[in-house]
Amino acid sequence: MIFLRPVRFFAQALLLDATPKQLAWGFALGMAIGLVPKGNLIAVAMMTLLCSLRVNLAAGTAAVFLFAWIGMAVDPVSHRIGEFLLSQPALQQFWTTLYDTPLVPWTAFNNTVVLGSFVLGLALIYPAYRLAEPIFAELAPKWTERVQKFRLVKLLWGGELTGKLA
Amino acid sequence: MRWKYIVPRIVLVALVWAFFAFGFDPLLHRGLITAGQNAIGAKVDLASFETKFFPPSVSMRQALLANRDRPGTNLLEFDSASLRLEGAALLKKSYIIDEGTISGVRWGTPRADSGLLAETPAEKKSREVAAKASAERMEKLKAEVLARGQEYLAGLGDRAKLELDPDQFESVRLGEEIEERWTAKFQEYDARAQELKKQIETIKAHIKSKEGNTLDRIEAYRTATAEAARLTQELKRLRGEIDGLTRQARQDLSDLDQAKQRDLTKIREKVDMFRLDPQELSEFLLGPELHHRLNQIIDWTRWTKARLVAATDDPQPERWRGRDFTFPRREELPKFLVKLIKVSGDTELLGQPQEFAGTVSGVTSHPEIHGQPVIVRLKSEGAVDANVKAVFDYTNTDVDPSHEVLLSYRANDGESTDLGDPDSLAIRVTAGQVAYRAELKLVGEAINGKLHLRQTPVKLAVRLGGESSKIDQRVAQVFADIVGGIEEFEADLDLTGTLGDPQWSIESNLGPKIAEGVNKALVKQLEQGREALLAKLDQAVAKQTDKLHTLFDEKAQLLTARLHFNDQEVKQLVQQVAGGRLPDLNKIATKPLDVLKKPLDPNKPLNVDELKKQEESLEDDLKKVFRR
């Protein structure tokens, strides 16, 4: 059973920090990351943030995948937001400075969809948290109960841990 | 609890590290191959690709870029490439290759597969059509030059024909035609004269016949008198036509003389055509070879231009999301720039393997930001000393980009070159030392260039083929002697026009030297040939004219005599029938004879008194006529 320990640790990490608040924050952060197109430093930084904070990674990762698809449908809105911000005369100096700062161009902030979706994601994090928290409070115990019944979970967790989860 | 927090984070960091350690290079490797294949439209093989972050650099090994236009060959290949990127620029998302080396560069090498990417039938057809059009365009000019040369060199063979075939002369043909026409006409008149004679004989026989009663006899006389009158008219008309024929004959002879004059002019022109034109001869001999050399440079320039345009075009990918804003920087940076790459490799020059080395600089996606043109310098030393310098300037967006290529080489032992066309006149040049220089400038579509080729000392060997091989052996020997005596060979090609329709002219010492020598050597022979030909034509036409005169005189005399005889016969006939009183007889006899000839009506009684009265009246009239 010693071979299962690392896997167990990883699985625990995904499912630990599983209070409704942590689940809701994981979900909200994952949503923001999912909306942003990948392949730039903004997405990488946000993923790092998700991993660094004590939020539920499983909820966060699931939200990333879910909102990566939803994000494509929201692209026109993100594009308009990004275009509006990037073309604001008052912000030109700020953008110019950013653009000429090393490493920042890799964030692709000068792309309308990247900036727009990033801003949209930031704006939606707290509302998403507020909406998700009661739902997770309601559903989390039921899910835990169901998950415990799976053989694989029993095998990974062992009797002691399943007892803790319960 | 602490481990349970740390371990998953460590795992994620490890995953990121694993991606950069094991996944990043293969991903870039695949991306580079795909981008390369999209750019050249053919297979790109790259054996290995590695990146380093500190300092940022890229290294590649065994790259093969297939040639889409020549399946089975590589456009370019290299053994290894090592490129160092500028770190500060990379942090600003700008790929600037500070310095690099590419070694083992070769081009035009064969490959195991075709090198073509999977194509739809439509794409395949489009590629084949484009390749065919390109090949046809290449061959068209060459074919034009050769055809023009063959046309006038065909004069060598034509000259023999000029001497032997009299049918080519208009006057000879016209003389034969006139003879045929006259013979046919005289035969026709003769037949008509014979027919008249036959008719006269028939009438005479009818008169002499004792058949029938008196009235029938009178009717026969009357018919004979009418026929005699008709024959007289016919003879008169025939004489008139013969007179007309005499006028036509004079016109025919005049036409014959004019045709002869035209033939004489033609002979002079034909003989003049045989004189070799130095310029045409130069173009014929050197056109294909220089055109081939020129096309190689044009093709490379065209290819490079297309790649540079593609590099600076920077189109957005189809699936790109949003729009990128650009903001001014303190120091503007192009998205991609090759500051300097050292290149080395090997190629084949004048049939000899040759190593070369050089540099490439200024290749960029944003030439207007970089402000310097693309410069390629290649140098090769050894059996062949060669230099290539290419400058492609895209820095000023307000004017058309300019492309300048300078290629020069010098070799001490040049390979043999075949000039001209084996099917008419070919010259094999074996040179001791070869010096070649080509300059080409392309601005937009306008092209301008010069090619200079100098070979010294040279050994030239002439070979006549096709129609040209039929020339007199003395002429062939003259050619061989003159060409063999040339010790230096120089050629210049001037190029203008556009890339799609280049215009060029050639100057060389070869054409004038050969033409001058051949013309001088052949001038006497040409004059003699011309005089002989003129005399021959003159004689042929004079003989024909004499023949026509004789023919006309003989036939006309014969016909006139025949007509005269017929005329006499008719006169005798008239005398015989009416003793010179034919008109009166005809007039008197008409009315009563008509009454007698009238058919009887069975319903009416025969009026015997009336008949008797008519008979008496007729007898009285006849007595009066003959008494008179």
Side-chain angles (χ1 to χ4, degrees):
Chain A
M1 293 301 277
I2 195 160
F3 301 111
L4 287 175
R5 280 180 76 87
V7 183
R8 188 186 298 165
F9 273 136
F10 188 68
Q12 282 173 359
L14 287 173
L15 295 173
L16 278 175
D17 303 319
T19 65
K21 281 187 179 183
Q22 285 168 326
L23 282 164
W25 275 119
F27 175 80
L29 262 175
M31 176 210 66
I33 297 166
L35 286 176
V36 177
K38 312 301 173 290
N40 56 69
L41 273 188
I42 289 182
V44 173
M46 289 176 83
M47 276 300 287
T48 310
L49 189 71
L50 177 71
C51 293
S52 311
L53 296 173
R54 292 194 64 176
V55 294
N56 186 273
L57 282 180
T61 313
V64 169
F65 281 107
L66 178 67
F67 281 92
W69 289 102
I70 294 172
M72 285 187 196
V74 185
D75 270 0
V77 180
S78 305
H79 170 71
R80 285 188 187 177
I81 295 169
E83 194 171 36
F84 173 76
L85 291 170
L86 288 166
S87 54
Q88 282 303 301
L91 293 171
Q92 289 307 298
Q93 187 55 46
F94 174 64
W95 300 134
T96 303
T97 308
L98 278 185
Y99 194 66
D100 203 21
T101 305
L103 218 60
V104 178
W106 287 101
T107 61
F109 78 90
N110 59 324
N111 179 275
T112 51
V113 171
V114 173
L115 183 68
S117 56
F118 174 62
V119 171
L120 186 68
L122 287 182
L124 289 176
I125 280 182
Y126 189 68
Y129 164 74
R130 293 289 297 174
L131 275 172
E133 200 256 333
I135 296 169
F136 281 118
E138 175 73 22
L139 295 177
K142 290 177 186 172
W143 284 351
T144 312
E145 197 178 330
R146 280 192 183 179
V147 165
Q148 281 175 21
K149 289 176 185 169
F150 289 115
R151 264 191 189 177
L152 181 68
V153 175
K154 283 178 183 172
L155 183 71
L156 281 174
W157 263 238
E160 189 188 351
L161 191 64
T162 30
K164 272 189 186 178
L165 282 170
Chain B
M1 188 65 186
R2 195 174 52 195
W3 279 108
K4 286 168 189 169
Y5 171 77
I6 290 169
V7 168
R9 268 79 189 169
I10 289 175
V11 169
L12 281 174
V13 169
L15 283 175
V16 172
W17 173 84
F19 166 73
F20 280 104
F22 305 109
F24 185 65
D25 283 356
L27 207 66
L28 280 183
H29 187 180
R30 176 55 44 197
L32 197 67
I33 287 173
T34 308
Q37 290 184 161
N38 288 340
I40 64 169
K43 269 188 187 174
V44 171
D45 300 309
L46 188 58
S48 74
F49 179 87
E50 286 174 25
T51 54
K52 279 185 184 173
F53 282 92
F54 303 106
S57 62
V58 172
S59 59
M60 293 171 265
R61 289 167 62 81
Q62 294 297 334
L64 303 171
L65 285 74
N67 190 340
R68 187 174 186 264
D69 298 328
R70 289 177 60 197
T73 58
N74 286 313
L75 186 69
L76 200 74
E77 67 168 273
F78 58 81
D79 292 339
S80 66
S82 174
L83 312 170
R84 197 182 70 198
L85 281 88
E86 209 173 82
L90 194 60
L91 286 174
K92 292 184 180 179
K93 217 178 175 179
S94 183
Y95 307 91
I96 294 178
I97 296 170
D98 209 16
E99 199 181 310
T101 55
I102 301 178
S103 58
V105 177
R106 289 173 291 275
W107 51 80
T109 50
R111 53 183 293 143
D113 61 349
S114 70
L116 296 174
L117 298 169
E119 299 174 299
T120 61
E123 284 171 338
K124 189 181 176 189
K125 194 178 174 187
S126 162
R127 179 178 56 79
E128 285 172 351
V129 166
K132 196 179 168 192
S134 171
E136 279 175 359
R137 198 174 52 243
M138 295 261 285
E139 286 303 313
K140 193 182 161 197
L141 205 55
K142 183 181 172 184
E144 276 175 13
V145 172
L146 288 179
R148 205 165 53 189
Q150 278 173 348
E151 193 180 309
Y152 87 91
L153 279 170
L156 293 165
D158 285 348
R159 190 165 171 271
K161 286 183 194 164
L162 266 174
E163 289 172 346
L164 296 173
D165 186 9
D167 281 344
Q168 67 182 295
F169 295 120
E170 186 189 348
S171 52
V172 174
R173 289 199 306 272
L174 185 62
E176 285 167 359
E177 186 193 315
I178 292 170
E179 188 183 339
E180 274 177 29
R181 185 150 43 83
W182 285 6
T183 307
K185 205 72 183 170
F186 278 116
Q187 277 174 356
E188 184 200 327
Y189 288 145
D190 203 40
R192 282 168 65 185
Q194 293 280 11
E195 179 60 29
L196 285 174
K197 190 173 185 301
K198 210 181 280 178
Q199 287 177 23
I200 292 164
E201 293 298 327
T202 309
I203 296 165
K204 279 167 85 176
H206 200 55
I207 291 166
K208 284 177 185 169
S209 166
K210 304 291 183 188
E211 288 174 1
N213 56 26
T214 312
L215 283 176
D216 287 337
R217 303 285 303 148
I218 292 169
E219 177 61 19
Y221 282 166
R222 196 171 69 98
T223 308
T225 52
E227 281 295 300
R230 187 183 60 77
L231 289 175
T232 308
Q233 287 299 317
E234 183 68 21
L235 281 166
K236 200 174 170 185
R237 190 163 56 243
L238 203 51
R239 275 209 193 84
E241 283 185 29
I242 290 166
D243 288 343
L245 189 63
T246 311
R247 283 194 297 278
Q248 179 61 44
R250 281 196 206 102
Q251 181 61 46
D252 285 346
L253 289 171
S254 166
D255 289 347
L256 185 63
D257 190 53
Q258 285 176 14
K260 180 186 149 189
Q261 294 306 323
R262 283 195 291 274
D263 282 338
L264 294 176
T265 311
K266 189 179 161 189
I267 288 171
R268 287 189 192 99
E269 282 174 358
K270 275 267 184 186
V271 175
D272 284 342
M273 262 178 63
F274 177 68
R275 289 179 190 280
L276 293 177
D277 182 298
Q279 183 57 29
E280 289 218 24
L281 190 60
S282 292
E283 287 189 7
F284 169 73
L285 290 172
L286 298 161
E289 173 63 20
L290 293 183
H291 180 248
H292 172 68
R293 286 167 186 254
L294 184 71
N295 259 324
Q296 282 182 327
I297 303 171
I298 289 179
D299 279 353
W300 273 101
T301 310
R302 200 198 295 260
W303 186 86
T304 313
K305 183 188 169 194
R307 299 286 88 75
L308 285 173
V309 168
T312 53
D313 191 24
D314 196 21
Q316 294 277 351
E318 280 176 32
R319 289 169 62 197
W320 189 252
R321 296 161 72 180
R323 182 165 73 86
D324 282 347
F325 274 65
T326 51
F327 300 97
R329 282 173 164 152
R330 276 191 299 273
E331 185 194 353
E332 287 297 340
L333 294 170
K335 192 174 176 185
F336 171 78
L337 168 66
V338 173
K339 277 189 175 173
L340 183 75
I341 292 181
K342 291 175 185 165
V343 185
S344 64
D346 46 87
T347 183
E348 197 173 274
L349 279 173
L350 302 176
Q352 298 181 39
Q354 190 89 9
E355 289 187 350
F356 70 89
T359 57
V360 177
S361 64
V363 181
T364 176
S365 58
H366 294 83
E368 71 283 1
I369 294 174
H370 182 52
Q372 286 176 22
V374 178
I375 300 175
V376 180
R377 286 175 198 271
L378 300 174
K379 192 175 173 69
S380 174
E381 286 176 349
V384 182
D385 291 340
N387 278 292
V388 177
K389 184 183 177 188
V391 180
F392 302 116
D393 194 349
Y394 282 66
T395 53
N396 190 345
T397 50
D398 295 333
V399 298
D400 281 330
S402 81
H403 314 78
E404 286 181 62
V405 178
L406 172 68
L407 165 68
S408 65
Y409 65 75
R410 184 181 292 274
N412 287 325
D413 189 17
E415 63 173 1
S416 295
T417 315
D418 288 320
L419 304 176
D421 177 26
D423 289 334
S424 52
L425 171 65
I427 292 178
R428 170 157 284 199
V429 183
T430 310
Q433 194 179 62
V434 181
Y436 174 69
R437 183 183 171 86
E439 290 174 52
L440 186 76
K441 186 169 185 180
L442 178 70
V443 181
E445 280 296 300
I447 195 165
N448 200 299
K450 279 178 190 294
L451 253 74
H452 178 77
L453 180 64
R454 187 168 187 270
Q455 300 190 337
T456 182
V458 285
K459 278 186 185 171
L460 304 180
V462 72
R463 195 167 72 83
L464 294 163
E467 283 292 311
S468 304
S469 63
K470 296 176 188 167
I471 63 164
D472 194 313
Q473 279 304 308
R474 286 171 299 174
V475 180
Q477 190 55 47
V478 167
F479 253 103
D481 291 346
I482 292 164
V483 169
I486 296 172
E487 291 177 347
E488 185 183 279
F489 159 48
E490 253 183 305
D492 286 283
L493 182 143
D494 271 326
L495 179 74
T496 52
T498 61
L499 202 55
D501 183 23
Q503 307 290 319
W504 48 281
S505 65
I506 292 173
E507 275 186 31
S508 168
N509 64 332
L510 205 57
K513 272 191 179 173
I514 295 175
E516 188 189 358
V518 172
N519 289 340
K520 261 186 193 172
L522 294 180
V523 69
K524 195 178 173 187
Q525 194 176 349
L526 282 173
E527 285 302 320
Q528 282 175 349
R530 175 157 68 183
E531 291 305 320
L533 202 57
L534 291 173
K536 194 171 179 179
L537 177 68
D538 206 37
Q539 197 182 352
V541 175
K543 193 176 166 187
Q544 185 72 42
T545 310
D546 285 348
K547 196 176 172 186
L548 287 172
H549 274 295
T550 311
L551 173 76
F552 191 86
D553 290 347
E554 279 177 3
K555 293 282 181 186
Q557 272 179 15
L558 191 70
L559 194 61
T560 309
R562 202 183 290 281
L563 289 176
H564 183 69
F565 177 76
N566 286 349
D567 202 29
Q568 292 300 316
E569 287 279 292
V570 172
K571 279 178 183 165
Q572 275 180 18
L573 179 68
V574 171
Q575 190 64 37
Q576 191 181 344
V577 170
R581 293 177 291 271
L582 188 65
D584 291 336
L585 178 65
N586 196 36
K587 189 178 168 188
I588 293 162
T590 303
K591 193 180 170 188
L593 283 174
D594 284 347
V595 173
L596 289 173
K597 281 196 293 182
K598 210 187 300 177
L600 291 174
D601 186 350
N603 298 324
K604 286 184 182 176
L606 189 67
N607 191 344
V608 180
D609 294 338
E610 179 64 21
L611 286 172
K612 188 76 177 169
K613 197 176 167 185
Q614 289 290 344
E615 187 186 353
E616 284 169 1
S617 168
L618 180 63
E619 276 178 9
D620 288 344
D621 285 344
L622 284 169
K623 281 173 186 172
K624 278 179 198 170
V625 168
F626 286 103
R627 201 178 297 138
R628 229 191 306 154

